[in-house]
Amino acid sequence: MSRPCNDCKVRDQSLCSSLSDEELSSLNSIGHNRKLERGQTLLWAGDEAALCANLLEGVLKLSATLPDGREQIVGLLYPADFVGRPFSEQAEHTVTALTDAELCVFPRKPFEEALEEHSRMERLLLRRTLAALDEARNRMLMLGRKTAEEKVASFLLDMALHLGKPESRPGTPVTFDLPLTRAQMADVLGLTIETVSRQMTRLKRAGLIDLPSGRLVTILDRDALEERAEAA
Amino acid sequence: MSRPCNDCKVRDQSLCSSLSDEELSSLNSIGHNRKLERGQTLLWAGDEAALCANLLEGVLKLSATLPDGREQIVGLLYPADFVGRPFSEQAEHTVTALTDAELCVFPRKPFEEALEEHSRMERLLLRRTLAALDEARNRMLMLGRKTAEEKVASFLLDMALHLGKPESRPGTPVTFDLPLTRAQMADVLGLTIETVSRQMTRLKRAGLIDLPSGRLVTILDRDALEERAEAA
DNA sequence: CGTCCGTTTGAAGGCTCTCAAAATATGTGG
DNA sequence: CCACATATTTTGAGAGCCTTCAAACGGACG
């Protein structure tokens, strides 16, 4: 058995938060720790969906592709998020690490049994799946109806929520390190690299954000950014 | 109590298919039949999510809007589909009838209790929600990365699947009556009315489809349409 | 210090949108 | 059942946003 769950970084945020310590140790016996390097793929769309997991650390992307190679990132996963597709023989989307990452991995079949055995966990997964569905649908609005500037602004605000320091005072600048390249941002937003880059410099020149170096982003004027995110 | 479930059009396709006859009658006691006219809205985004339902007949749209009125249809619901958002105080998306429709409606709170009581139904809802999530994400690929022609071709194939006669011989033309206006198609595909219309006539002139009258569509060459749906 | 990868910037083109009007379908009242 | 009014769809012309193609710039790493 791998490392005891007491040390787990996401013990009380992941699906496992629904389990008692005893239940947890039985689940733990079928799971094991796994690390991914940036760029490494955990599951390929079309392949057997062999496993499920809790993400402990890092950021993953979920992506879909067309036969000619065009790619769309259809979801981003953060620590404590659930990974995988129970009850499906085949993975529908590809799961790849955007940063070095760490997971608690379960073979799918035994995990499905654990779900049926631990109804509180099943219930929590249902709630999370419903929330993920709402989120995916909201992202459809962004993809179908927002302009390039609105898309980039929305994306930056979303990243700030996930990566920014917890609750700095409103009005205070927030800084974070983007885990995505421009190409990956483009694949999230349904744009091209060049368009993303141009919109970033536009926002910078407008004084709404700063790009100090590398992939660092500082949000200087959150309110103005929010306005541009949905053309009030 | 409303009409007995034995007459139900979707008794063994809806969520209820997971219930025994006795279980069903207890659920039935909290549900009632409701009809919607074309254009009528069942739930408004932002309002209290007061109810859940099984769709018995007709087609519904799920939509999201931006403050300035731009709209995106984020999902279509067909008979036997589940409607609503359990465990959420607020509806995230607006639900509106595209055709006259009939539902079996449950107040949300009692329905949530029924879910917890009938674990097979809860499990089935989980599976359906996971499938809906996969579908929503695939639609993100369409919105973000497909051209107008590919979007329209994909849409027509999708409609044929849902509305076409069950399993006509491959190669045989399929005809169906679109439940959506051009404007609604545009809102599904993230395009404008005019672009949708132009792509439809292009496909017609190319001999892949026919538009006999009104909203009737005939798919003449399914294979060719599939090729244009994802630019092989 | 040179190479490689990612980012930025520029110029031109094309796909889709916008604006506009004609054509067709739908619906209503007489 | 027809005539009119309304809504929807089609078609056209032009503009604009984003893409494509290309090159310069910058940072990381050997």
Side-chain angles (χ1 to χ4, degrees), chain B residues 38 147-148 190-192 194-195 198 214:
Chain B
R38 179 161 56 90
T147 65
L191 298 171
T192 59
E194 297 92 326
T195 299
R198 278 187 253 270

Side-chain angles (χ1 to χ4, degrees), chain B residues 146-156 189 191 195 199-200 202-203 206 208 225 227-231:
Chain B
K146 286 193 181 181
T147 65
E149 181 180 56
E150 291 166 345
K151 286 178 176 181
V152 170
S154 311
F155 175 81
L156 292 176
L189 301 175
L191 298 171
T195 299
Q199 296 300 335
M200 294 283 277
R202 258 172 65 99
L203 292 174
L208 306 199
L225 203 55
E227 260 181 46
R228 299 214 187 188
E230 26 196 272

